[in-house]
Amino acid sequence: MSIYQNKGAGFVHFSEEDETVDGVHSLSKNEQALSKNPEWLPTWNLTEKYPKILPFKHIDRALFGDLEYENLFKAADGEINYREITPKFGTEVKSGIQLSKLDDKAKDDLALLVAKRGVVVLRNQDLKEKGPAFVKEWGEYFGPLHIHPTSGAPAGFPEFHIVYRKAGDNAKENVNKVFAYRTQNIIWHSDATYELQPPGITP
């Protein structure tokens, strides 16, 4: 499993103001001061070495989910407002499910929903306020977490793959440019497919 903290389409571009101290590359102090959630800002530890990834037995939590999503509905905060993005692929949950409040049985139902629908978009979540330690523990329920070999991660939490736009970057304008003369974008991909056991889920 890979964990993404998406702050808009695109990746970080380094600047001369960024700094490297004791082998850890960080965004500039100015960028850090502008962030509402600085604990999520990406860092790049250039000295960190990780052990070889050993084979492990994957347990698919979707196999334990209720076919009617009974536990997920029980965990709902009021009525669940959702729509199918397409008839066969993708579900958007606009309100009613707060990931941080799900118990293990509801997480199994969620895993089943993801397995069936391929992509599940859940709006208005509070995970960024819970902090990296909470989200790491939350994600570990679904299996061992993957460490991306090149991307930035919050300090002390290499299991996160941060997709971040610097302050002042206009993500909406950039997306509009991409789709000004096309209806699709072919850069969609799955990370780390070269691993012997690639990540099975990306939250």
Side-chain angles (χ1 to χ4, degrees), residues 127-156:
L127 289 176
K128 69 181 177 187
E129 285 80 23
K130 298 289 185 182
F134 177 91
V135 178
K136 177 185 173 186
E137 183 178 352
W138 189 93
E140 285 174 330
Y141 176 76
F142 299 95
L145 302 180
H146 179 264
I147 296 175
H148 196 285
T150 61
S151 68

PDB file of all heavy atoms in Angstrom, residues 127-156:
ATOM      1  N   LEU A 127      -8.371  13.514   7.883  1.00  0.00           N
ATOM      2  CA  LEU A 127      -7.118  12.786   8.127  1.00  0.00           C
ATOM      3  C   LEU A 127      -5.913  13.715   8.228  1.00  0.00           C
ATOM      4  O   LEU A 127      -4.996  13.465   9.002  1.00  0.00           O
ATOM      5  CB  LEU A 127      -6.885  11.741   7.036  1.00  0.00           C
ATOM      6  CG  LEU A 127      -7.819  10.530   7.082  1.00  0.00           C
ATOM      7  CD1 LEU A 127      -7.551   9.610   5.905  1.00  0.00           C
ATOM      8  CD2 LEU A 127      -7.692   9.773   8.395  1.00  0.00           C
ATOM      9  N   LYS A 128      -5.891  14.801   7.446  1.00  0.00           N
ATOM     10  CA  LYS A 128      -4.707  15.676   7.517  1.00  0.00           C
ATOM     11  C   LYS A 128      -4.599  16.325   8.897  1.00  0.00           C
ATOM     12  O   LYS A 128      -3.495  16.554   9.389  1.00  0.00           O
ATOM     13  CB  LYS A 128      -4.719  16.726   6.410  1.00  0.00           C
ATOM     14  CG  LYS A 128      -5.765  17.786   6.523  1.00  0.00           C
ATOM     15  CD  LYS A 128      -5.682  18.753   5.353  1.00  0.00           C
ATOM     16  CE  LYS A 128      -6.788  19.786   5.444  1.00  0.00           C
ATOM     17  NZ  LYS A 128      -6.845  20.642   4.268  1.00  0.00           N
ATOM     18  N   GLU A 129      -5.729  16.592   9.544  1.00  0.00           N
ATOM     19  CA  GLU A 129      -5.685  17.160  10.906  1.00  0.00           C
ATOM     20  C   GLU A 129      -5.251  16.122  11.940  1.00  0.00           C
ATOM     21  O   GLU A 129      -4.747  16.472  12.992  1.00  0.00           O
ATOM     22  CB  GLU A 129      -7.052  17.727  11.290  1.00  0.00           C
ATOM     23  CG  GLU A 129      -7.410  19.049  10.628  1.00  0.00           C
ATOM     24  CD  GLU A 129      -7.906  18.893   9.202  1.00  0.00           C
ATOM     25  OE1 GLU A 129      -8.389  17.791   8.857  1.00  0.00           O
ATOM     26  OE2 GLU A 129      -7.802  19.862   8.432  1.00  0.00           O
ATOM     27  N   LYS A 130      -5.449  14.841  11.629  1.00  0.00           N
ATOM     28  CA  LYS A 130      -5.072  13.778  12.567  1.00  0.00           C
ATOM     29  C   LYS A 130      -3.559  13.579  12.626  1.00  0.00           C
ATOM     30  O   LYS A 130      -3.039  13.058  13.603  1.00  0.00           O
ATOM     31  CB  LYS A 130      -5.742  12.460  12.171  1.00  0.00           C
ATOM     32  CG  LYS A 130      -7.255  12.495  12.195  1.00  0.00           C
ATOM     33  CD  LYS A 130      -7.777  12.548  13.606  1.00  0.00           C
ATOM     34  CE  LYS A 130      -9.289  12.472  13.634  1.00  0.00           C
ATOM     35  NZ  LYS A 130      -9.808  12.569  14.998  1.00  0.00           N
ATOM     36  N   GLY A 131      -2.865  13.963  11.570  1.00  0.00           N
ATOM     37  CA  GLY A 131      -1.408  13.865  11.556  1.00  0.00           C
ATOM     38  C   GLY A 131      -0.877  12.564  10.990  1.00  0.00           C
ATOM     39  O   GLY A 131      -1.603  11.562  10.903  1.00  0.00           O
ATOM     40  N   PRO A 132       0.397  12.566  10.578  1.00  0.00           N
ATOM     41  CA  PRO A 132       0.993  11.401   9.930  1.00  0.00           C
ATOM     42  C   PRO A 132       0.985  10.125  10.766  1.00  0.00           C
ATOM     43  O   PRO A 132       0.770   9.040  10.230  1.00  0.00           O
ATOM     44  CB  PRO A 132       2.427  11.849   9.624  1.00  0.00           C
ATOM     45  CG  PRO A 132       2.365  13.335   9.582  1.00  0.00           C
ATOM     46  CD  PRO A 132       1.315  13.719  10.577  1.00  0.00           C
ATOM     47  N   ALA A 133       1.218  10.217  12.069  1.00  0.00           N
ATOM     48  CA  ALA A 133       1.275   9.006  12.904  1.00  0.00           C
ATOM     49  C   ALA A 133      -0.074   8.287  12.891  1.00  0.00           C
ATOM     50  O   ALA A 133      -0.138   7.059  12.759  1.00  0.00           O
ATOM     51  CB  ALA A 133       1.689   9.360  14.331  1.00  0.00           C
ATOM     52  N   PHE A 134      -1.150   9.044  13.026  1.00  0.00           N
ATOM     53  CA  PHE A 134      -2.490   8.455  13.005  1.00  0.00           C
ATOM     54  C   PHE A 134      -2.772   7.806  11.660  1.00  0.00           C
ATOM     55  O   PHE A 134      -3.252   6.672  11.580  1.00  0.00           O
ATOM     56  CB  PHE A 134      -3.546   9.525  13.308  1.00  0.00           C
ATOM     57  CG  PHE A 134      -4.966   9.014  13.241  1.00  0.00           C
ATOM     58  CD1 PHE A 134      -5.595   8.520  14.363  1.00  0.00           C
ATOM     59  CD2 PHE A 134      -5.664   9.006  12.035  1.00  0.00           C
ATOM     60  CE1 PHE A 134      -6.896   8.028  14.300  1.00  0.00           C
ATOM     61  CE2 PHE A 134      -6.959   8.522  11.952  1.00  0.00           C
ATOM     62  CZ  PHE A 134      -7.584   8.034  13.092  1.00  0.00           C
ATOM     63  N   VAL A 135      -2.471   8.523  10.577  1.00  0.00           N
ATOM     64  CA  VAL A 135      -2.785   8.020   9.241  1.00  0.00           C
ATOM     65  C   VAL A 135      -1.927   6.799   8.909  1.00  0.00           C
ATOM     66  O   VAL A 135      -2.403   5.847   8.280  1.00  0.00           O
ATOM     67  CB  VAL A 135      -2.607   9.123   8.178  1.00  0.00           C
ATOM     68  CG1 VAL A 135      -2.892   8.583   6.783  1.00  0.00           C
ATOM     69  CG2 VAL A 135      -3.534  10.301   8.489  1.00  0.00           C
ATOM     70  N   LYS A 136      -0.679   6.792   9.372  1.00  0.00           N
ATOM     71  CA  LYS A 136       0.172   5.623   9.149  1.00  0.00           C
ATOM     72  C   LYS A 136      -0.438   4.390   9.818  1.00  0.00           C
ATOM     73  O   LYS A 136      -0.560   3.326   9.204  1.00  0.00           O
ATOM     74  CB  LYS A 136       1.575   5.871   9.696  1.00  0.00           C
ATOM     75  CG  LYS A 136       2.486   4.667   9.547  1.00  0.00           C
ATOM     76  CD  LYS A 136       3.832   4.898  10.204  1.00  0.00           C
ATOM     77  CE  LYS A 136       4.636   3.606  10.183  1.00  0.00           C
ATOM     78  NZ  LYS A 136       5.890   3.713  10.933  1.00  0.00           N
ATOM     79  N   GLU A 137      -0.839   4.532  11.071  1.00  0.00           N
ATOM     80  CA  GLU A 137      -1.452   3.407  11.786  1.00  0.00           C
ATOM     81  C   GLU A 137      -2.755   2.986  11.104  1.00  0.00           C
ATOM     82  O   GLU A 137      -3.047   1.799  10.974  1.00  0.00           O
ATOM     83  CB  GLU A 137      -1.712   3.788  13.243  1.00  0.00           C
ATOM     84  CG  GLU A 137      -2.277   2.651  14.068  1.00  0.00           C
ATOM     85  CD  GLU A 137      -2.501   3.015  15.529  1.00  0.00           C
ATOM     86  OE1 GLU A 137      -2.082   4.103  15.960  1.00  0.00           O
ATOM     87  OE2 GLU A 137      -3.114   2.200  16.240  1.00  0.00           O
ATOM     88  N   TRP A 138      -3.530   3.956  10.644  1.00  0.00           N
ATOM     89  CA  TRP A 138      -4.789   3.670   9.947  1.00  0.00           C
ATOM     90  C   TRP A 138      -4.511   2.840   8.693  1.00  0.00           C
ATOM     91  O   TRP A 138      -5.162   1.835   8.438  1.00  0.00           O
ATOM     92  CB  TRP A 138      -5.470   4.990   9.582  1.00  0.00           C
ATOM     93  CG  TRP A 138      -6.856   4.849   9.064  1.00  0.00           C
ATOM     94  CD1 TRP A 138      -8.016   4.908   9.787  1.00  0.00           C
ATOM     95  CD2 TRP A 138      -7.262   4.631   7.706  1.00  0.00           C
ATOM     96  NE1 TRP A 138      -9.104   4.740   8.955  1.00  0.00           N
ATOM     97  CE2 TRP A 138      -8.674   4.566   7.674  1.00  0.00           C
ATOM     98  CE3 TRP A 138      -6.567   4.488   6.510  1.00  0.00           C
ATOM     99  CZ2 TRP A 138      -9.397   4.370   6.507  1.00  0.00           C
ATOM    100  CZ3 TRP A 138      -7.283   4.277   5.341  1.00  0.00           C
ATOM    101  CH2 TRP A 138      -8.683   4.224   5.346  1.00  0.00           C
ATOM    102  N   GLY A 139      -3.522   3.223   7.920  1.00  0.00           N
ATOM    103  CA  GLY A 139      -3.212   2.524   6.688  1.00  0.00           C
ATOM    104  C   GLY A 139      -2.625   1.149   6.897  1.00  0.00           C
ATOM    105  O   GLY A 139      -2.831   0.241   6.076  1.00  0.00           O
ATOM    106  N   GLU A 140      -1.906   0.958   7.996  1.00  0.00           N
ATOM    107  CA  GLU A 140      -1.265  -0.344   8.255  1.00  0.00           C
ATOM    108  C   GLU A 140      -2.281  -1.462   8.457  1.00  0.00           C
ATOM    109  O   GLU A 140      -1.929  -2.631   8.341  1.00  0.00           O
ATOM    110  CB  GLU A 140      -0.344  -0.237   9.480  1.00  0.00           C
ATOM    111  CG  GLU A 140       0.943   0.510   9.175  1.00  0.00           C
ATOM    112  CD  GLU A 140       1.799   0.752  10.404  1.00  0.00           C
ATOM    113  OE1 GLU A 140       1.236   0.889  11.511  1.00  0.00           O
ATOM    114  OE2 GLU A 140       3.023   0.825  10.258  1.00  0.00           O
ATOM    115  N   TYR A 141      -3.519  -1.095   8.732  1.00  0.00           N
ATOM    116  CA  TYR A 141      -4.548  -2.125   8.878  1.00  0.00           C
ATOM    117  C   TYR A 141      -4.686  -2.952   7.593  1.00  0.00           C
ATOM    118  O   TYR A 141      -4.967  -4.138   7.636  1.00  0.00           O
ATOM    119  CB  TYR A 141      -5.897  -1.486   9.234  1.00  0.00           C
ATOM    120  CG  TYR A 141      -7.014  -2.495   9.304  1.00  0.00           C
ATOM    121  CD1 TYR A 141      -7.135  -3.343  10.403  1.00  0.00           C
ATOM    122  CD2 TYR A 141      -7.922  -2.640   8.258  1.00  0.00           C
ATOM    123  CE1 TYR A 141      -8.145  -4.296  10.469  1.00  0.00           C
ATOM    124  CE2 TYR A 141      -8.939  -3.581   8.315  1.00  0.00           C
ATOM    125  CZ  TYR A 141      -9.039  -4.411   9.419  1.00  0.00           C
ATOM    126  OH  TYR A 141     -10.031  -5.357   9.473  1.00  0.00           O
ATOM    127  N   PHE A 142      -4.467  -2.312   6.460  1.00  0.00           N
ATOM    128  CA  PHE A 142      -4.677  -2.969   5.173  1.00  0.00           C
ATOM    129  C   PHE A 142      -3.451  -3.756   4.694  1.00  0.00           C
ATOM    130  O   PHE A 142      -3.529  -4.464   3.705  1.00  0.00           O
ATOM    131  CB  PHE A 142      -5.077  -1.934   4.121  1.00  0.00           C
ATOM    132  CG  PHE A 142      -6.356  -1.228   4.467  1.00  0.00           C
ATOM    133  CD1 PHE A 142      -6.336  -0.003   5.119  1.00  0.00           C
ATOM    134  CD2 PHE A 142      -7.583  -1.793   4.165  1.00  0.00           C
ATOM    135  CE1 PHE A 142      -7.511   0.652   5.451  1.00  0.00           C
ATOM    136  CE2 PHE A 142      -8.769  -1.147   4.496  1.00  0.00           C
ATOM    137  CZ  PHE A 142      -8.730   0.075   5.145  1.00  0.00           C
ATOM    138  N   GLY A 143      -2.329  -3.624   5.394  1.00  0.00           N
ATOM    139  CA  GLY A 143      -1.138  -4.374   5.013  1.00  0.00           C
ATOM    140  C   GLY A 143       0.123  -3.549   5.167  1.00  0.00           C
ATOM    141  O   GLY A 143       0.072  -2.369   5.531  1.00  0.00           O
ATOM    142  N   PRO A 144       1.285  -4.151   4.890  1.00  0.00           N
ATOM    143  CA  PRO A 144       2.554  -3.427   5.000  1.00  0.00           C
ATOM    144  C   PRO A 144       2.566  -2.208   4.082  1.00  0.00           C
ATOM    145  O   PRO A 144       2.083  -2.270   2.954  1.00  0.00           O
ATOM    146  CB  PRO A 144       3.591  -4.463   4.545  1.00  0.00           C
ATOM    147  CG  PRO A 144       2.923  -5.785   4.685  1.00  0.00           C
ATOM    148  CD  PRO A 144       1.457  -5.541   4.463  1.00  0.00           C
ATOM    149  N   LEU A 145       3.126  -1.109   4.589  1.00  0.00           N
ATOM    150  CA  LEU A 145       3.167   0.124   3.806  1.00  0.00           C
ATOM    151  C   LEU A 145       4.443   0.171   2.958  1.00  0.00           C
ATOM    152  O   LEU A 145       5.514  -0.222   3.411  1.00  0.00           O
ATOM    153  CB  LEU A 145       3.098   1.337   4.731  1.00  0.00           C
ATOM    154  CG  LEU A 145       1.862   1.416   5.630  1.00  0.00           C
ATOM    155  CD1 LEU A 145       1.910   2.670   6.492  1.00  0.00           C
ATOM    156  CD2 LEU A 145       0.581   1.380   4.809  1.00  0.00           C
ATOM    157  N   HIS A 146       4.302   0.673   1.762  1.00  0.00           N
ATOM    158  CA  HIS A 146       5.423   0.758   0.828  1.00  0.00           C
ATOM    159  C   HIS A 146       6.164   2.078   1.019  1.00  0.00           C
ATOM    160  O   HIS A 146       5.557   3.104   1.314  1.00  0.00           O
ATOM    161  CB  HIS A 146       4.882   0.667  -0.609  1.00  0.00           C
ATOM    162  CG  HIS A 146       5.929   0.756  -1.655  1.00  0.00           C
ATOM    163  ND1 HIS A 146       6.241   1.934  -2.292  1.00  0.00           N
ATOM    164  CD2 HIS A 146       6.744  -0.188  -2.176  1.00  0.00           C
ATOM    165  CE1 HIS A 146       7.202   1.713  -3.173  1.00  0.00           C
ATOM    166  NE2 HIS A 146       7.519   0.437  -3.116  1.00  0.00           N
ATOM    167  N   ILE A 147       7.475   2.059   0.851  1.00  0.00           N
ATOM    168  CA  ILE A 147       8.281   3.280   0.889  1.00  0.00           C
ATOM    169  C   ILE A 147       8.733   3.580  -0.533  1.00  0.00           C
ATOM    170  O   ILE A 147       9.470   2.799  -1.138  1.00  0.00           O
ATOM    171  CB  ILE A 147       9.497   3.132   1.824  1.00  0.00           C
ATOM    172  CG1 ILE A 147       9.027   2.921   3.264  1.00  0.00           C
ATOM    173  CG2 ILE A 147      10.395   4.361   1.729  1.00  0.00           C
ATOM    174  CD1 ILE A 147      10.138   2.648   4.258  1.00  0.00           C
ATOM    175  N   HIS A 148       8.268   4.686  -1.077  1.00  0.00           N
ATOM    176  CA  HIS A 148       8.632   5.070  -2.434  1.00  0.00           C
ATOM    177  C   HIS A 148      10.108   5.484  -2.450  1.00  0.00           C
ATOM    178  O   HIS A 148      10.555   6.219  -1.576  1.00  0.00           O
ATOM    179  CB  HIS A 148       7.755   6.234  -2.908  1.00  0.00           C
ATOM    180  CG  HIS A 148       7.785   6.445  -4.380  1.00  0.00           C
ATOM    181  ND1 HIS A 148       8.851   7.024  -5.013  1.00  0.00           N
ATOM    182  CD2 HIS A 148       6.883   6.145  -5.347  1.00  0.00           C
ATOM    183  CE1 HIS A 148       8.608   7.077  -6.317  1.00  0.00           C
ATOM    184  NE2 HIS A 148       7.415   6.549  -6.539  1.00  0.00           N
ATOM    185  N   PRO A 149      10.881   5.018  -3.427  1.00  0.00           N
ATOM    186  CA  PRO A 149      12.334   5.244  -3.385  1.00  0.00           C
ATOM    187  C   PRO A 149      12.783   6.664  -3.699  1.00  0.00           C
ATOM    188  O   PRO A 149      13.917   7.021  -3.393  1.00  0.00           O
ATOM    189  CB  PRO A 149      12.867   4.275  -4.444  1.00  0.00           C
ATOM    190  CG  PRO A 149      11.741   4.088  -5.391  1.00  0.00           C
ATOM    191  CD  PRO A 149      10.492   4.160  -4.559  1.00  0.00           C
ATOM    192  N   THR A 150      11.946   7.490  -4.294  1.00  0.00           N
ATOM    193  CA  THR A 150      12.432   8.810  -4.707  1.00  0.00           C
ATOM    194  C   THR A 150      11.594   9.984  -4.230  1.00  0.00           C
ATOM    195  O   THR A 150      12.044  11.120  -4.282  1.00  0.00           O
ATOM    196  CB  THR A 150      12.505   8.899  -6.252  1.00  0.00           C
ATOM    197  OG1 THR A 150      11.198   8.710  -6.793  1.00  0.00           O
ATOM    198  CG2 THR A 150      13.452   7.860  -6.814  1.00  0.00           C
ATOM    199  N   SER A 151      10.386   9.759  -3.778  1.00  0.00           N
ATOM    200  CA  SER A 151       9.510  10.891  -3.484  1.00  0.00           C
ATOM    201  C   SER A 151       9.737  11.444  -2.086  1.00  0.00           C
ATOM    202  O   SER A 151      10.297  10.786  -1.215  1.00  0.00           O
ATOM    203  CB  SER A 151       8.054  10.476  -3.637  1.00  0.00           C
ATOM    204  OG  SER A 151       7.711   9.558  -2.632  1.00  0.00           O
ATOM    205  N   GLY A 152       9.266  12.679  -1.884  1.00  0.00           N
ATOM    206  CA  GLY A 152       9.345  13.294  -0.571  1.00  0.00           C
ATOM    207  C   GLY A 152       8.328  12.710   0.382  1.00  0.00           C
ATOM    208  O   GLY A 152       7.299  12.172  -0.038  1.00  0.00           O
ATOM    209  N   ALA A 153       8.630  12.810   1.671  1.00  0.00           N
ATOM    210  CA  ALA A 153       7.739  12.284   2.705  1.00  0.00           C
ATOM    211  C   ALA A 153       7.826  13.187   3.927  1.00  0.00           C
ATOM    212  O   ALA A 153       8.842  13.844   4.151  1.00  0.00           O
ATOM    213  CB  ALA A 153       8.151  10.860   3.075  1.00  0.00           C
ATOM    214  N   PRO A 154       6.776  13.227   4.752  1.00  0.00           N
ATOM    215  CA  PRO A 154       6.867  13.991   5.999  1.00  0.00           C
ATOM    216  C   PRO A 154       8.035  13.468   6.837  1.00  0.00           C
ATOM    217  O   PRO A 154       8.314  12.266   6.844  1.00  0.00           O
ATOM    218  CB  PRO A 154       5.531  13.711   6.691  1.00  0.00           C
ATOM    219  CG  PRO A 154       4.612  13.274   5.605  1.00  0.00           C
ATOM    220  CD  PRO A 154       5.470  12.562   4.611  1.00  0.00           C
ATOM    221  N   ALA A 155       8.722  14.358   7.515  1.00  0.00           N
ATOM    222  CA  ALA A 155       9.886  13.973   8.315  1.00  0.00           C
ATOM    223  C   ALA A 155       9.517  12.850   9.281  1.00  0.00           C
ATOM    224  O   ALA A 155       8.567  12.964  10.050  1.00  0.00           O
ATOM    225  CB  ALA A 155      10.410  15.178   9.087  1.00  0.00           C
ATOM    226  N   GLY A 156      10.266  11.746   9.221  1.00  0.00           N
ATOM    227  CA  GLY A 156      10.043  10.615  10.110  1.00  0.00           C
ATOM    228  C   GLY A 156       8.992   9.633   9.625  1.00  0.00           C
ATOM    229  O   GLY A 156       8.748   8.628  10.284  1.00  0.00           O
TER     230      GLY A 156
END
